Amino acid sequence: MCPAVNYNVSKLFDRINLRILTFLAVLLMYNMGFVMNICQPPTKDFLHFTKNITDLDHVRARQFVYLDCCASGYDTITWYFKNNNTKYSWKEFPFLYQECEHNDECPTLFSENQTLLILKATVGYDNGSYICVAHNSSTGQTISHLEDVLVSDCVERPKPEPIPPSDVITNIGQNATFHCAADFGCKSSFTRDVSWYIGTVEVQDVSTRYIVTKENRDYNPVVQANLTVLNVQQSDFGVTFSCWVSSDSDIDTPKFSVKLRQEGNNHRYHALVVHDDSRNEDNDIADHITSTLEREGYKICNRIEGFGRGVFSHFGGYLEQSASVIILDMESDSDDSNTFRVFIESSLRNMADSLVGFTVIQRKGMENSMMDSVEYKGLKRLQWPGSESSDRQRQKFYKQLQLRLPKPVKLDERTPLLQNV
């Protein structure tokens, strides 16, 4: 019996030592400045978030990621998580790790529950949506923050893969945010940066209302820089903002120019159809949807095909001209699926107030859907009826789809859809 006892005691001490080393490593990262978004100690004032926290994060598999819920005026902060393993139902911390006291890689809460640390992110378990809920028991008030985490196995890239921004529709007095990123892959690089400029001057040097929030961690293949224009003024609509992607690659610095646009007369299409043109079945479905809707008088943009880089460079412009979006879903393990999901989520957030509908169409039997975890206030999911469906089933599908579109009117190339949006 004694050897077994000694063995178990040894394992216990090993586990305790690893926990201590993990804590010291986190503390060291804080002291060395690796963790950029340090939450301040909360105070007993009114319930509010104390800093601008991201709603989308990317992390390379088997590397660490920390999620911040910096708040003040709370009694408790509770974390929840969902992904395909939870059947997209919210699970309270410790999520899928049911035996955290025996799991040295279990997520850890610290800074009075304001920060969640995932020490070794995995594609299967940690990829999903996280929400923190801060509660003040004396007032009964709660506030919450949702953040999506994309965990992907990294590939070496000879040059960065840009995820360009798109124009943002807004109005005077509102805040507007551009999203720009690039996937640098796993190749070691001294220069991996995404920055915002007006001409050749960094935007933050032009106006204090131009705020850049940047994520650039050593182990993260994706570098993201968001530009927020606070309290939009009329003069901002005449400014051209440029996102620059800098790297060690022997290429010219990719630059992407965008503008703020006022809400108004800019819709030329009833719907934009986006699909993966590497699949013949998806091509057939997209053509069927386009031809059917056009016979009913709708003007459809079906020029954007594929989920590769070509889509990214043109998607924003077509989206801006479209009153609604129809996406044919794809498998989450398809090429470029994570990159496309990041891009489309940021684009749709920017266009949220101008879209009539955002519809995801899934084929029967699809597993590991790319769009399953996407949350958007105007989202509707429809299932493609298939070639063996009855006339009644197809009619029902198109009736539901048309409810997501503005009513058709006689259009020419110069006729906007504003009066019907």
Side-chain angles (χ1 to χ4, degrees), residues 281-345:
E281 182 180 356
D282 286 1
N283 286 331
D284 293 341
I285 294 174
D287 290 342
H288 194 285
I289 289 173
T290 300
S291 60
T292 301
L293 292 177
E294 286 181 341
R295 285 197 300 269
E296 298 295 325
Y298 292 92
K299 190 174 180 65
I300 306 299
C301 178
N302 189 12
R303 304 176 189 174
I304 308 300
E305 300 177 344
F307 288 88
R309 183 175 177 181
V311 173
F312 303 149
S313 59
H314 302 292
F315 182 86
Y318 287 117
L319 175 60
E320 179 192 343
Q321 300 176 51
S322 304
S324 60
V325 179
I326 301 171
I327 296 177
L328 304 192
D329 205 354
M330 67 185 293
E331 285 81 2
S332 59
D333 57 354
S334 301
D335 292 341
D336 295 319
S337 61
N338 275 340
T339 305
F340 181 75
R341 181 178 179 273
V342 173
F343 182 75
I344 197 169
E345 281 196 325

Side-chain angles (χ1 to χ4, degrees), residues 48 81 93 120 125 136 138 166 200 219 240 268 321 376:
H48 66 288
F81 169 74
F93 180 85
K120 291 184 179 181
Y125 284 97
N136 185 314
S138 62
S166 58
T200 58
Y219 296 114
T240 298
R268 298 189 181 279
Q321 300 176 51
Y376 176 73

Side-chain angles (χ1 to χ4, degrees), residues 220-238:
N220 194 335
V222 177
V223 176
Q224 181 169 345
N226 299 333
L227 166 61
T228 298
V229 180
L230 301 176
N231 189 22
V232 172
Q233 305 296 307
Q234 184 63 50
S235 58
D236 296 324
F237 293 103

Side-chain angles (χ1 to χ4, degrees), residues 230-251:
L230 301 176
N231 189 22
V232 172
Q233 305 296 307
Q234 184 63 50
S235 58
D236 296 324
F237 293 103
V239 178
T240 298
F241 302 94
S242 297
C243 174
W244 296 17
V245 178
S246 304
S247 70
D248 291 339
S249 304
D250 187 20
I251 58 172

